[in-house]
């Protein structure tokens, strides 16, 4: 049987190039993989965009979500051709739950005090708020185990997340009906490891933890991330 297509979904403050090492690992194993760009405008609209991508994937798909991308695969994972979910240093919300509420059950990570607000225009002439990580704080908050020059470039190239994404609620939790796996980044300063462990346990996910990994674990530990994805692919093939 052919492998399902792996669909890699990046999170806030980043783009799909953060999966570069994971993509190379999966392709070396003959696993088809795509990494679409995430609009980062809000949970409902971003999940709808991801579903539109899935409708154009031939055959079954395994969704992999990093960070905020975990919330997106939780909702979009209800699509018929999704056969498995993999969470990487990610939020794993329940239906009716927002990311703010989920994280609010645990001590604030360093990210909380290091967000910078921006505004962007809406179609009706109003403006909405979006956030990035303060550039000087980015390396320690997001990418502490990534080379300094790379972390600095990532800080300068951040993609902002609409603030509404923290208050939007998940319409469905696909992990209730789809098998799931989770990698917990034990040294994460963007999403607290406690929140990652809680969400993964609630979903009944198969969990792997890297105690020293930062939030940028897909960049710093691509082999470990790819190994977990390969496990999911084998289990769903």
């Amino acid at each position: 049987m052919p492998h399902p297509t792996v669909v890699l979904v990046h999170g806030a403050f980043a783009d799909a190039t953060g999966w570069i090492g994971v993509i190379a690992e999966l392709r070396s194993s003959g696993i088809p993989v795509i990494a679409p760009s995430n609009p980062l405008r809000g949970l409902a609209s971003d999940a709808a965009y991801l579903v539109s991508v899935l409708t154009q994937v031939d055959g079954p798909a395994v969704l992999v979500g990093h960070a905020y991308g975990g919330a997106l695969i939780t909702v979009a994972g209800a699509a018929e051709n999704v056969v498995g979910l993999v969470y990487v240093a990610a939020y794993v919300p329940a239906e009716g739950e927002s990311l703010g509420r989920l994280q609010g059950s645990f001590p604030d990570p360093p990210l909380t005090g290091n967000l910078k607000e921006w505004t962007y225009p809406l179609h009706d002439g109003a403006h909405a708020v979006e956030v990035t990580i303060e550039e000087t704080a980015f390396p320690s908050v997001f990418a502490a185990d990534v080379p300094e020059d790379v972390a600095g470039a990532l800080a300068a190239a951040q993609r902002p997340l609409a603030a509404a994404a923290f208050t939007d609620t998940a319409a469905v939790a696909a992990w209730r009906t789809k098998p799931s796996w989770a990698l917990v980044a034990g040294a994460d300063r963007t999403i607290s490891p406690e929140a990652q462990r809680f969400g993964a346990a609630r979903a009944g996910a198969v969990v792997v933890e890297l105690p020293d990994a930062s939030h940028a674990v897909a960049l710093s530990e691509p082999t470990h991330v790819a190994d977990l994805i390969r496990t999911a692919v084998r289990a769903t093939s």
Side-chain angles (χ1 to χ4, degrees):
M1 293 290 292
H3 291 307
T5 297
V6 171
V7 181
L8 302 170
V9 183
H10 69 82
F13 321 124
D15 63 25
T17 59
W19 294 110
I20 186 168
V22 175
I23 291 170
E25 288 272 353
L26 295 176
R27 285 184 169 170
S28 73
S29 299
I31 297 172
V33 55
I34 60 172
S37 183
N38 178 353
L40 301 177
R41 296 297 83 180
L43 181 51
S45 61
D46 292 346
Y49 176 81
L50 181 54
V51 169
S52 76
V53 172
L54 291 167
T55 63
Q56 299 170 77
V57 171
D58 292 331
V62 169
L63 282 181
V64 182
H66 175 245
Y68 167 64
L72 299 189
I73 72 169
T74 295
V75 177
E80 185 177 352
N81 64 328
V82 174
V83 294
L85 308 168
V86 182
Y87 295 92
V88 178
Y91 287 116
V92 189
E95 60 275 8
E97 187 174 54
S98 69
L99 302 189
R101 179 181 172 189
L102 175 56
Q103 181 59 65
S105 300
F106 303 92
D108 285 341
L111 168 74
T112 305
N114 287 287
L115 290 174
K116 181 177 180 179
E117 292 191 354
W118 307 75
T119 60
Y120 64 96
L122 302 176
H123 294 302
D124 61 4
H127 286 76
V129 174
E130 61 185 8
V131 294
T132 59
I133 302 174
E134 290 283 358
E135 191 166 339
T136 56
F138 184 96
S140 65
V141 169
F142 193 98
D145 57 353
V146 171
E148 184 177 350
D149 59 337
V150 175
L154 293 173
Q158 289 180 70
R159 290 188 58 214
L161 175 68
F166 294 107
T167 56
D168 289 347
T169 57
V172 64
W175 48 259
R176 294 200 182 277
T177 56
K178 309 286 176 78
S180 60
W181 292 258
L183 187 148
V184 174
D188 198 329
R189 292 165 58 85
T190 297
I191 300 176
S192 65
E194 295 89 348
Q196 296 175 41
R197 295 185 193 107
F198 170 81
R202 182 172 58 179
V206 177
V207 178
V208 171
E209 180 157 348
L210 299 181
D212 300 322
S214 79
H215 191 63
V217 61
L219 271 177
S220 62
E221 298 287 353
T223 300
H224 286 295
V225 173
D227 282 345
L228 184 61
I229 298 169
R230 280 188 278 253
T231 298
V233 167
R234 287 193 295 270
T236 56
S237 293

